[in-house]
Amino acid sequence: MGAPIHSSPQFRLALLGIILLTVAIRLPSLVHPQPIINEAIYSVVANEIVDGSRPYVDALERKPPLLFWTYAAIFEVAGKYNWKALHAAALVWTLGTMAGLYALGRALFDRETGLIAALLYSIFQPWARGQNLAFNGELLMNLPIVWGWAIAFRPSSSRARPELVFSGALLCAGFLLKQPAAIA
């Protein structure tokens, strides 16, 4: 049948094309110097955390804590209210989720299915509205959920699967980013 697809030039070209498509789709957010929709609210709480304040006490917002801590980590590294860094982090987060979808599709079906899953996420996650480019809870929760399931469905010949503890922890992290992740 020839070379495996993951090492073939066609696979590398398809992978590069999907990455470039994702960058192109998210380009408006990468050059946008302002917050997109809810990012402004989340960043206020996150920057209070950076300054040493406590969420839910010194800054009140009803979202789960890991969302604010993720923002705070980005602002701690890149500077307060650095929207371009936040939007670059959203791109990296999206690519990480796509890698997880590839791993999940490959584990359940085959490499081509994984590649198509990553492509479809790239296209449809930010679908139709500029507001969907925001680094919000929906985007944030997808990464740990997808990787949690990718680890859980990874083929294994062992009855003991300690990696499932990490898989469960990732699913819990999704809930700490946005409550509807509990459904996963």
Side-chain angles (χ1 to χ4, degrees):
M1 298 258 307
I5 190 164
H6 67 278
S7 63
S8 72
Q10 294 92 355
F11 177 81
R12 286 190 288 258
L13 186 60
L15 183 63
L16 179 62
I18 290 171
I19 291 170
L20 291 175
L21 175 67
T22 305
V23 171
I25 289 171
R26 297 196 74 79
L27 188 60
S29 72
L30 293 172
V31 298
H32 188 63
Q34 298 296 320
I36 301 170
I37 200 161
N38 297 334
E39 292 174 344
I41 297 165
Y42 303 156
S43 64
V44 169
V45 177
N47 282 305
E48 288 295 320
I49 293 170
V50 169
D51 290 338
S53 298
R54 298 167 295 171
Y56 311 111
V57 175
D58 301 318
L60 188 59
E61 170 59 33
R62 61 184 172 85
K63 298 295 182 190
L66 196 51
L67 183 143
F68 303 123
W69 293 335
T70 303
Y71 267 62
I74 294 166
F75 290 140
E76 183 73 31
V77 170
K80 294 172 101 177
Y81 300 102
N82 187 335
W83 305 117
K84 290 189 179 192
L86 187 72
H87 298 148
L91 171 64
V92 171
W93 202 274
T94 300
L95 291 171
T97 303
M98 291 167 56
L101 285 168
Y102 169 76
L104 181 59
R106 186 186 66 205
L108 292 174
F109 302 103
D110 56 29
R111 290 180 179 97
E112 293 83 5
T113 303
L115 206 57
I116 291 168
L119 172 66
L120 291 175
Y121 184 79
S122 172
I123 294 169
F124 290 109
Q125 185 280 321
W127 188 252
R129 296 177 25 205
Q131 294 173 338
N132 291 341
L133 293 173
F135 195 41
N136 57 21
E138 289 81 8
L139 180 69
L140 283 163
M141 77 177 186
N142 290 337
L143 180 77
I145 290 171
V146 166
W147 276 106
W149 285 116
I151 291 168
F153 285 119
R154 199 179 90 213
S156 176
S157 60
S158 173
R159 288 182 54 94
R161 304 241 357 243
E163 70 271 15
L164 292 180
V165 173
F166 184 60
S167 173
L170 285 170
L171 293 172
C172 290
F175 172 73
L176 292 174
L177 288 162
K178 186 156 178 83
Q179 293 98 335
I183 296 167

